[in-house]
Amino acid sequence: MILDNKLNITDQIELSKAEERLSKQKAKEMFDSGEIAKVKVDTFEGLAFIHAYLFDEIYDFAGKIRTENMAKGDFQFAPLMYLEPSLEHIDALPQSDFDEIIEKYVEMNIAHPFREGNGRTTRIWLDLILKKEIRQVVDWNQVNKEEYLSAM
Ligand SMILES: Nc1ncnc2c1ncn2[C@@H]1O[C@H](COP(=O)(O)OP(=O)(O)OP(=O)(O)O)[C@@H](O)[C@H]1O
Ligand SMILES: [Mg+2]
């Protein structure tokens, strides 16, 4: 099953390629334009802003909470009925050091608020919090994808 999209693409490989290209382009534009500097980044509101910015040209659900239950591998993300309360809980989590920030990131991964694009959006969100709180960011080029997924 392929996701309905604004590009009217019906082939999954073609959609994945277009999505990757567009979301990367939009991510760069979000930083270059200074738009991201105007947003309060460390809450779900900031995360939704990033998601909307990256995916608005591709999906109607850009920036919007998913409306179905989701799993990846054998891991079930937050059930729909607990999603909004869990986002409120995550907003209030502390973020004063590296461990707290990573814990907040992991909780947001478990919430998995969007139908698609959670990884890309939440990695940017993580970096913005790290930068704000401890003046460091992740060099994602040094992160092996399999090890990252296994850690998540
Ligand atoms: N088995 C799993 N258990 C927990 N989290 C997982 C699992 N598989 C994937 N994830 C998380 O979900 C993210 C992928 O979610 P989604 O497909 O919505 O995001 P994406 O941006 O499209 O993908 P990607 O992160 O691969 O670029 C991964 O980056 C990882 O953080
Ligand atoms: Mg994906």
Side-chain angles (χ1 to χ4, degrees), residues 57-74:
E57 289 172 23
I58 312 170
Y59 297 123
D60 285 332
F61 61 76
K64 297 194 186 120
I65 293 181
R66 64 182 155 87
T67 53
E68 52 199 285
N69 284 317
M70 274 182 61
K72 276 192 198 288
D74 52 14

Side-chain angles (χ1 to χ4, degrees), residues 19 72 116-118 120:
E19 200 203 58
K72 276 192 198 288
E116 177 62 67
N118 293 277
R120 283 164 279 181

Side-chain angles (χ1 to χ4, degrees), residues 72 75 77 109 112 116-120 123 145 148-149:
K72 276 192 198 288
F75 188 76
F77 298 111
N109 182 61
H112 222 72
E116 177 62 67
N118 293 277
R120 283 164 279 181
R123 286 190 290 274
K145 184 142 192 178
Y148 160 75
L149 281 175

Side-chain angles (χ1 to χ4, degrees), residues 94-107:
Q95 51 182 57
S96 62
D97 61 23
F98 180 79
D99 287 349
E100 282 182 357
I101 295 168
I102 296 302
E103 196 163 315
K104 191 161 182 160
Y105 174 67
V106 169
E107 290 298 327

Side-chain angles (χ1 to χ4, degrees), residues 60-147:
D60 285 332
F61 61 76
K64 297 194 186 120
I65 293 181
R66 64 182 155 87
T67 53
E68 52 199 285
N69 284 317
M70 274 182 61
K72 276 192 198 288
D74 52 14
F75 188 76
Q76 158 102 54
F77 298 111
L80 219 47
M81 65 182 294
Y82 296 123
L83 183 51
E84 293 204 34
S86 100
L87 292 172
E88 278 171 35
H89 168 78
I90 295 167
D91 277 0
L93 288 175
Q95 51 182 57
S96 62
D97 61 23
F98 180 79
D99 287 349
E100 282 182 357
I101 295 168
I102 296 302
E103 196 163 315
K104 191 161 182 160
Y105 174 67
V106 169
E107 290 298 327
M108 191 57 95
N109 182 61
I110 293 169
H112 222 72
F114 311 109
R115 177 63 188 80
E116 177 62 67
N118 293 277
R120 283 164 279 181
T121 304
T122 314
R123 286 190 290 274
I124 293 175
W125 185 75
L126 168 67
D127 272 337
L128 291 167
I129 301 175
L130 287 169
K131 191 159 117 186
K132 177 181 162 199
E133 300 292 348
I134 61 171
R135 308 222 142 263
Q136 288 189 295
V137 291
V138 177
D139 179 356
W140 292 101
N141 284 317
Q142 291 190 44
V143 178
N144 173 285
K145 184 142 192 178
E146 267 171 42
E147 283 173 10

Side-chain angles (χ1 to χ4, degrees), residues 15-68:
L15 176 62
S16 299
K17 279 189 189 160
E19 200 203 58
E20 180 176 345
R21 185 178 52 77
L22 264 171
S23 63
K24 279 182 177 163
Q25 188 184 315
K26 296 293 287 188
K28 183 170 187 304
E29 186 188 307
M30 185 176 72
F31 285 97
D32 290 348
S33 67
E35 281 298 303
I36 191 61
K38 298 178 193 159
V39 180
K40 180 169 158 41
V41 289
D42 46 9
T43 60
F44 173 70
E45 200 184 321
L47 187 79
F49 175 90
I50 301 166
H51 193 269
Y53 203 103
L54 263 46
F55 295 105
D56 191 45
E57 289 172 23
I58 312 170
Y59 297 123
D60 285 332
F61 61 76
K64 297 194 186 120
I65 293 181
R66 64 182 155 87
T67 53
E68 52 199 285

